[in-house]
Amino acid sequence: MQASIRLLIIEDSADDAELVQRLLRQGGYEIAAERVDSALGLTQALDKKWDVVISDYSMPQFLGSEALRMVRKRSPETPFIFVSGTIGEDTATEAMRVGAQDYVLKTNLKRLVPAVKRELKEAENRRRLKERVQSDQIILNSIGDAVLSTDLSGNITYLNRAAEKMIGWPCEEAADRPLAEVFRVRDGTSRGMTSIQTVRQPSDLVLIRRDGGETPIEFSVSPLHDHGGQVSGTVTVVRDVTAARAMALQIAHSAQHDDLTGLPNRILLNDRISQAIALAPRHGKKLAVLFLDLDGFKHINDSLGHQIGDKLLQSIAKRLVGCLRVSDTISRQGGDEFVVLLPELDHSDEAAIMAKRILEAVATVHSIGEHNLHVTASMGLSVYPDDGLDAETLIKNSDIAMYQAKENGRQTYEFFTRAMNARAVERQSIEESLRHALERQEFTLHYQPKVNLKSGEITGAEALLRWTQPGRGEVQPEQFIPIAEDCGLILPIGNWVLREACKQARSWTDAGLPLTTMAVNISAREFRNEHFLDRVFAILEDTGLDPKCLELELTESVLMKRPEYAESILKKLRARGVQVAVDDFGTGYSSLSYLTKFSIDTIKIDQSFVRKITSNPKEATIVTAVVSLARSLNMRVVAEGVETLEELSYLQAHHCEEAQGHYFSRPVLPRQFAELLATGKEARYRQLAETSPDAILVHRDGRIVYANRAAAHLVKLEDPQTMIDRRLEGFVSPECQRDLLAHRAGAFAASLRRSDGASVYVEIAASPISMNGHGGTLLVCRDVTERVTLEHELLDVATREQTRLAHDLHDGLGQQLTGIALYLRGLGGQMGREMPAHAADFARLEGLVAKAIEDTRRLASGMSPLAVGREGLAGALTALSTQARELYGLQVVLDIDPLIDAPIETQVASQLYRIVQEATSNAARHARASSIEIAVQLADPGLTLVIADDGIGMAESLLSSGRAAGLGLRIMRYRAERIGGTFQIERRSPGTAIRVSFPLNERRPPAP
């Protein structure tokens, strides 16, 4: 296949041009040719693209040298061959120097075809090389590194765009300049100039840019070879390492500093301590290491969030730095722990002074956003060489001293001592032994009873963990429980305790022993564990224990860590029937607002308060307040740590329901606890009863079988044994005997007869009880004589005031209404004359006013005991019945002896009237009666007043209406006794009858 070429011929001879074409066709080319012989023709022809140009050198009107110049200017890459018969060798050589590729003499045209072939091939090679060079330049200009090339003389031959930008020299200006002039490099460490020919380059090089600026760099130099493999120069690759060195510096800084505070970390601190230790002996100095831990930081972090916590740590770090000398080092170890290095000390006292300064700086309020935060610190100090000879030992010993400072009350510092180290070693030994205690079955559970302070019954047991370690003996819980919590072993240990306690409780209930609840302490780590609920419910299911028999005890601090989460867990527990108790109440947060929100059944008063209730009034006040609080929230309250009779008596006097402590029983093994459940109830009851400040009686069918010392004291007897086997009627007022003899449970207001004949007002709480296998009734009597006496005195004052007000009401209001009536009568007459149509309306108004006046007088007369003096007892009672119908809606039936007013004095009649008035009010307001019967009869030798209603009864009204109804009964009895009469209550169905008997012939003086 023939190759096609586009041929431009510059020739004045058409024959010669045709000869050239014929030779090329013979040589295998298909020719597309054009001939020109002038400059104008050439100019026009060069607008086209040609593969090769063949030109004569000598033409009459156009020189070949001019043609070469024009072609090279317009198309420098097109092959140009001279074909001439007159060109000499020197002329041909000069022509090739200025751009011709070859020359052929017309006398030797056989070289034409080979020459054309060669030049076409060379042109293609040049084209491809140019494309490759252009591609290489694109690549070089695209990379981020700077590339420079030089010739063998060290002069710049090429800069890529990155090099131009980095160095500040354009390639055209830098070309042929010495490399050292354009590419100036300095050692960043020594700040001296360096040469790029250096075999071992410094690691810290700086490029001096054309504008004088500096750029950190690294570079590499390689030889540049030509096509023949000969070294033709060098190529240098330069990289800007500004970002890399900044990153390296940042990494190096981060490796030795805390990210949050910027303080040195543990690695840098250890290095500086080691340096300080190396220098201390040379200078005859000491150094101190201070280990600081913040008190209560975790609460701030949990409650306000980690962002506030981080800002607080930054504030503390800034203050610590401000306290130190330039030579000192403050390091953050992580969390809320800091370590301070104080080198170059003459005396240990200097470290103590610095410690005080640091504690004061930390304790000053920190303003973080809108929060004013208060935080304190505890600090431990160790001194070189006394407390350690290396950094690790000094830090460890200062840490040990810091924990001692926390145990001593926080916000203080402690110097390390050898005794502290012994405790730390002991702690480590306990932790190691704990890890094997479960598998070696070294744990046991003891059980301490919780006792009802009224009945003496064991209401539950608290499971308490005990550990007996071979070779060590019994390890106290306060020694190993905190360690187990710190190292996480409390989870498997707590799981074992809960399972064993539930199994034991189920065993006791299956044996018929009266155990109500089994209490198990739950640690903070257990409660926060995500599988806590699943674990509790699984153990209940495995052991078969009724969830209502399980009580989980949690401290306040556990609940207050995350209140919302805690409440969700408590609700799920109580929904399954599990009871919840707050243990050690008063020693933690004691947040009353959250206490009302949490799902809690029981509050346990911490033993630290119980132990001081008889010696410290403030502690006693706290206990009383907690008991009242629990009762108001319908929670059970249990006092812990009861050890003395005085403590027990105080708790009973202030109505604490339950207690536990060594006074009742130490924690015992399961077999011993079972014996307590089976046999100990009556003994505990007697123990409680003997210490109770309330009078306690037990009777069977009216015969007293037990009385405590308080009961004997109440009725003025020396020995409670003198009351045994006596009838109840000899001590209790008749109106209460019926209820008590019927074994009725409830509360009563009554009076007891003392041995000297006087009466004592009491409130009685009755409940059934079993003693020695026989049933009976327990009576707890509280002396309220002083209170009732005060109430009576207040009643007298109120009665006198009532009389005065009724008299004023009768006279004053009546006169005012009479005046109004007269005014209306006059106004009505005038309006009747002026407006006859409305005369009837004014007449009706006058009638209403007149009726109001009469009603006011009548009601005033009925309300006032003065009515007895005006109208006699019969008339006053009649007015009172009218009042009862109008005020209360009661239907009143009167049965009054017509001669009743003759034999009795006004003072006596007034008291009887007031008894009826009080009974009427009680019947309507408390007994909810609809009718009442009042009978007053004269009989030899006296007068009898009977008031009967159809309500729910006075005893029931006392329970349903509370103190008001009981006060009414005491008032009526008090009035009866004031006039020397007797007062009795009789039960009816329905209703109650009150009977007052008053002797007329044998007059007794009124009670004072």
Side-chain angles (χ1 to χ4, degrees):
M1 181 177 179
Q2 290 184 331
S4 297
I5 62 172
R6 291 164 293 185
L7 176 64
L8 176 63
I9 301 175
I10 306 171
E11 176 64 58
D12 58 339
S13 171
D15 293 338
D16 289 348
E18 181 62 31
L19 176 62
V20 168
Q21 295 180 58
R22 185 168 64 250
L23 290 173
L24 291 174
R25 289 190 184 98
Q26 291 176 356
Y29 291 100
E30 182 178 342
I31 304 300
E34 180 178 342
R35 183 180 69 84
V36 297
D37 58 1
S38 65
L40 178 61
L42 180 59
T43 300
Q44 294 174 349
L46 288 176
D47 290 338
K48 302 176 184 178
K49 184 175 178 64
W50 305 101
D51 294 321
V52 62
V53 177
I54 296 177
S55 175
D56 192 1
Y57 187 80
S58 298
M59 292 175 285
Q61 298 180 357
F62 193 36
L63 294 177
S65 59
E66 180 64 18
L68 176 61
R69 186 190 64 78
M70 292 176 64
V71 171
R72 283 288 166 261
K73 184 176 180 181
R74 295 285 299 274
S75 182
E77 302 299 328
T78 303
F80 191 99
I81 301 174
F82 279 114
V83 178
S84 176
T86 60
I87 189 171
E89 185 174 348
D90 293 337
T91 302
T93 301
E94 178 62 21
M96 292 181 66
R97 190 186 68 80
V98 295
Q101 272 72 38
D102 203 352
Y103 69 94
V104 177
L105 297 175
K106 290 182 178 180
T107 58
N108 190 18
L109 287 177
K110 63 180 180 180
R111 286 189 62 249
L112 178 62
V113 173
V116 169
K117 286 184 178 180
R118 183 179 64 252
E119 293 308 322
L120 287 174
K121 183 176 181 181
E122 287 293 331
E124 178 65 20
N125 289 338
R126 286 195 301 273
R127 183 186 64 79
R128 291 180 179 177
L129 178 61
K130 182 179 180 180
E131 290 179 353
R132 186 164 58 250
V133 169
Q134 289 176 344
S135 176
D136 291 344
Q137 287 181 342
I138 292 174
I139 293 173
L140 289 173
N141 288 329
S142 299
I143 64 177
D145 292 341
V147 179
L148 305 82
S149 64
T150 65
D151 56 21
L152 290 175
S153 301
N155 296 325
I156 297 290
T157 59
Y158 174 76
L159 300 177
N160 70 348
R161 290 178 183 173
E164 292 177 335
K165 183 178 180 181
M166 183 184 297
I167 300 174
W169 285 83
C171 182
E172 292 78 8
E173 293 186 37
D176 296 328
R177 292 178 181 270
L179 179 64
E181 179 184 348
V182 175
F183 187 57
R184 295 182 297 160
V185 180
R186 184 169 61 197
D187 184 345
T189 303
S190 65
R191 308 301 291 176
M193 300 302 293
T194 186
S195 172
I196 64 172
Q197 282 74 28
T198 304
V199 176
R200 183 177 181 180
Q201 300 176 13
S203 60
D204 189 11
L205 296 176
V206 177
L207 170 68
I208 309 301
R209 299 192 302 271
R210 188 178 186 182
D211 60 4
E214 297 184 355
T215 301
I217 63 167
E218 60 183 17
F219 68 86
S220 61
V221 181
S222 301
L224 187 64
H225 298 86
D226 60 16
H227 294 290
Q230 298 298 317
V231 176
S232 60
T234 62
V235 59
T236 303
V237 179
V238 185
R239 176 167 297 168
D240 184 347
V241 295
T242 302
R245 286 189 185 170
M247 180 63 69
L249 292 174
Q250 179 63 37
I251 292 174
H253 184 274
S254 297
Q256 296 183 329
H257 292 79
D258 174 54
D259 291 336
L260 178 63
T261 62
L263 297 177
N265 62 10
R266 188 189 307 269
I267 297 173
L268 184 55
L269 174 70
N270 288 345
D271 180 64
R272 291 187 180 178
I273 293 177
S274 298
Q275 293 179 27
I277 290 175
L279 293 174
R282 301 180 191 175
H283 302 160
K285 300 286 187 177
K286 294 184 175 183
L287 67 91
V289 173
L290 287 63
F291 200 109
L292 180 147
D293 184 88
L294 300 179
D295 304 325
F297 173 76
K298 192 173 188 306
H299 171 64
I300 294 176
N301 214 25
D302 292 343
S303 59
L304 300 181
H306 292 285
Q307 185 175 6
I308 298 296
D310 288 348
K311 290 182 179 180
L312 176 59
L313 289 174
Q314 291 170 342
S315 174
I316 291 171
K318 184 176 180 181
R319 291 195 185 173
L320 292 177
V321 171
C323 292
L324 303 181
R325 304 169 300 177
V326 176
S327 59
D328 300 334
T329 298
I330 172 68
S331 166
R332 181 177 177 231
Q333 298 290 286
D336 58 350
E337 295 179 339
F338 298 85
V339 175
V340 179
L341 166 64
L342 303 178
E344 300 289 322
L345 299 180
D346 293 318
H347 304 285
S348 301
D349 293 344
E350 297 176 42
I353 294 172
M354 180 62 74
K356 293 177 182 178
R357 184 187 306 169
I358 290 175
L359 292 177
E360 291 175 358
V362 171
T364 305
V365 64
H366 298 261
S367 296
I368 309 296
E370 59 183 12
H371 303 283
N372 290 326
L373 303 179
H374 297 268
V375 66
T376 60
S378 299
M379 189 180 300
L381 290 78
S382 62
V383 178
Y384 171 89
D386 304 335
D387 303 326
L389 301 177
D390 56 69
E392 181 180 356
T393 303
L394 289 171
I395 294 175
K396 181 194 73 172
N397 290 342
S398 62
D399 188 14
I400 293 172
M402 181 272 295
Y403 277 105
Q404 185 63 47
K406 282 189 176 293
E407 292 179 8
N408 291 348
R410 301 173 183 261
Q411 198 177 2
T412 186
Y413 65 89
E414 290 289 338
F415 278 95
F416 172 78
T417 63
R418 297 300 172 188
M420 294 180 187
N421 187 57
R423 287 195 293 271
V425 172
E426 174 73 5
R427 186 188 188 282
Q428 183 63 30
S429 174
I430 290 176
E431 180 177 336
E432 289 300 320
S433 300
L434 272 176
R435 297 187 181 278
H436 307 287
L438 267 180
E439 61 187 57
R440 295 172 180 171
Q441 299 182 350
E442 296 173 1
F443 290 123
T444 57
L445 287 185
H446 289 206
Y447 301 91
Q448 186 173 43
K450 291 186 286 186
V451 179
N452 185 290
L453 298 188
K454 288 187 177 180
S455 67
E457 295 181 352
I458 292 179
T459 56
E462 180 178 359
L464 299 171
L465 182 63
R466 296 294 183 263
W467 179 28
T468 303
Q469 184 185 5
R472 186 194 299 266
E474 184 172 339
V475 184
Q476 295 301 313
E478 56 270 20
Q479 288 182 273
F480 70 85
I481 294 294
I483 297 175
E485 291 182 349
D486 289 343
C487 66
L489 291 174
I490 196 64
L491 292 177
I493 293 174
N495 189 69
W496 179 86
V497 170
L498 183 61
R499 183 175 295 276
E500 289 298 310
C502 290
K503 285 169 57 178
Q504 186 61 70
R506 177 59 190 270
S507 173
W508 283 333
T509 54
D510 289 346
L513 296 175
L515 181 72
T516 305
T517 59
M518 172 64 76
V520 179
N521 290 280
I522 301 298
S523 70
R525 184 170 291 218
E526 290 178 274
F527 187 73
R528 291 195 296 267
N529 186 271
E530 59 180 337
H531 303 298
F532 171 67
L533 285 176
D534 295 336
R535 179 171 62 87
V536 172
F537 296 148
I539 289 176
L540 287 172
E541 184 175 352
D542 293 345
T543 59
L545 181 66
D546 186 348
K548 295 179 181 178
C549 295
L550 177 62
E551 183 177 69
L552 300 181
E553 296 188 1
L554 303 158
T555 62
E556 295 171 278
S557 57
V558 171
L559 297 177
M560 292 301 298
K561 283 295 187 205
R562 294 167 56 192
E564 293 76 13
Y565 170 79
E567 174 59 6
S568 67
I569 298 297
L570 298 184
K571 285 183 176 179
K572 292 176 183 177
L573 288 170
R574 297 190 75 201
R576 292 286 292 269
V578 178
Q579 299 184 55
V580 178
V582 178
D583 196 14
D584 301 336
F585 185 77
T587 61
Y589 291 94
S590 299
S591 175
L592 301 184
S593 61
Y594 274 106
L595 189 61
T596 60
K597 298 176 183 178
F598 284 136
S599 300
I600 296 170
D601 301 283
T602 305
I603 292 177
K604 299 190 72 175
I605 304 175
D606 186 66
Q607 59 183 345
S608 62
F609 297 109
V610 174
R611 290 173 182 169
K612 300 177 182 178
I613 55 177
T614 59
S615 60
N616 189 328
K618 293 183 179 179
E619 303 289 346
T621 301
I622 292 175
V623 172
T624 305
V626 173
V627 172
S628 300
L629 174 65
R631 291 165 65 91
S632 65
L633 295 176
N634 294 321
M635 298 179 183
R636 291 167 47 233
V637 58
V638 179
E640 297 182 291
V642 178
E643 297 185 354
T644 67
L645 176 62
E646 291 77 12
E647 294 168 356
L648 175 60
S649 299
Y650 183 91
L651 293 170
Q652 288 177 320
H654 291 82
H655 311 295
C656 182
E657 299 174 67
E658 300 177 27
Q660 65 183 92
H662 292 175
Y663 184 81
F664 307 105
S665 172
R666 292 180 177 273
V668 295
L669 291 169
R671 178 181 57 80
Q672 296 169 297
F673 192 88
E675 294 175 358
L676 289 175
L677 288 174
T679 63
K681 177 181 175 181
E682 184 172 338
R684 285 190 307 278
Y685 166 71
R686 291 182 180 275
Q687 180 187 46
L688 294 173
E690 287 301 325
T691 60
S692 174
D694 293 330
I696 296 179
L697 298 170
V698 178
H699 75 89
R700 295 195 190 100
D701 300 326
R703 184 176 61 86
I704 298 174
V705 297
Y706 173 80
N708 69 349
R709 293 187 178 276
H713 178 75
L714 187 64
V715 296
K716 295 296 183 180
L717 292 175
E718 293 292 334
D719 187 357
Q721 291 298 318
T722 59
M723 301 178 68
I724 305 303
D725 290 331
R726 295 179 62 176
R727 296 295 301 175
L728 195 62
E729 293 91 325
F731 298 99
V732 182
S733 57
E735 60 269 22
C736 292
Q737 293 174 9
R738 182 176 177 181
D739 288 316
L740 299 180
L741 291 175
H743 288 196
R744 295 187 59 174
F748 306 92
S751 63
L752 298 181
R753 287 194 291 269
R754 299 192 319 200
S755 60
D756 59 2
S759 295
V760 181
Y761 293 103
V762 294
E763 289 179 347
I764 299 177
S767 60
I769 191 175
S770 176
M771 291 184 64
N772 299 324
H774 301 285
T777 301
L778 169 69
L779 306 179
V780 179
C781 308
R782 178 161 297 162
D783 186 355
V784 294
T785 302
E786 182 177 350
R787 190 181 73 195
V788 171
T789 301
L790 178 60
E791 290 171 351
H792 290 168
E793 293 175 356
L794 295 175
L795 178 65
D796 285 341
V797 174
T799 300
R800 290 194 296 270
E801 186 65 16
Q802 181 187 25
T803 301
R804 185 187 64 79
L805 290 174
H807 185 272
D808 292 345
L809 178 65
H810 177 267
D811 295 338
L813 184 58
Q815 291 175 3
Q816 292 179 21
L817 289 175
T818 301
I820 292 173
L822 293 174
Y823 170 75
L824 289 174
R825 181 177 298 173
L827 181 62
Q830 180 182 353
M831 296 302 295
R833 290 190 297 273
E834 296 178 1
M835 303 174 63
H838 296 284
D841 294 334
F842 284 100
R844 283 194 297 274
L845 180 59
E846 182 182 352
L848 291 174
V849 174
K851 185 177 185 303
I853 293 172
E854 181 60 28
D855 289 345
T856 301
R857 287 174 174 167
R858 179 168 46 79
L859 289 176
S861 298
M863 289 172 61
S864 173
L866 294 177
V868 176
R870 293 191 302 268
E871 304 176 18
L873 181 59
L877 292 179
T878 301
L880 183 62
S881 65
T882 301
Q883 175 193 11
R885 281 193 297 270
E886 296 184 0
L887 294 182
Y888 306 129
L890 281 174
Q891 296 299 319
V892 183
V893 178
L894 289 175
D895 181 9
I896 302 176
D897 192 312
L899 302 177
I900 194 68
D901 291 323
I904 61 175
E905 299 175 356
T906 300
Q907 181 183 2
V908 175
S910 294
Q911 293 294 343
L912 294 174
Y913 170 82
R914 287 170 173 167
I915 291 173
V916 176
Q917 187 181 42
E918 186 68 36
T920 303
S921 174
N922 271 16
R925 291 186 294 140
H926 302 301
R928 298 195 291 276
S930 60
S931 66
I932 188 169
E933 298 177 3
I934 302 173
V936 185
Q937 299 296 329
L938 288 173
D940 192 23
L943 175 147
T944 301
L945 168 65
V946 178
I947 309 167
D949 66 73
D950 62 350
I952 62 174
M954 284 300 174
E956 287 80 358
S957 69
L958 176 59
L959 294 175
S960 63
S961 300
R963 183 181 174 189
L967 178 59
L969 291 174
R970 291 195 296 272
I971 290 172
M972 286 183 271
R973 178 180 293 107
Y974 166 71
R975 295 194 183 285
E977 293 176 352
R978 285 286 301 271
I979 59 175
T982 61
F983 181 87
Q984 294 179 318
I985 298 177
E986 299 175 359
R987 304 296 177 203
R988 295 185 179 182
S989 182
T992 303
I994 297 173
R995 181 182 297 275
V996 177
S997 299
F998 175 70
L1000 294 177
N1001 296 335
E1002 299 179 4
R1003 293 296 309 278
R1004 289 175 291 179

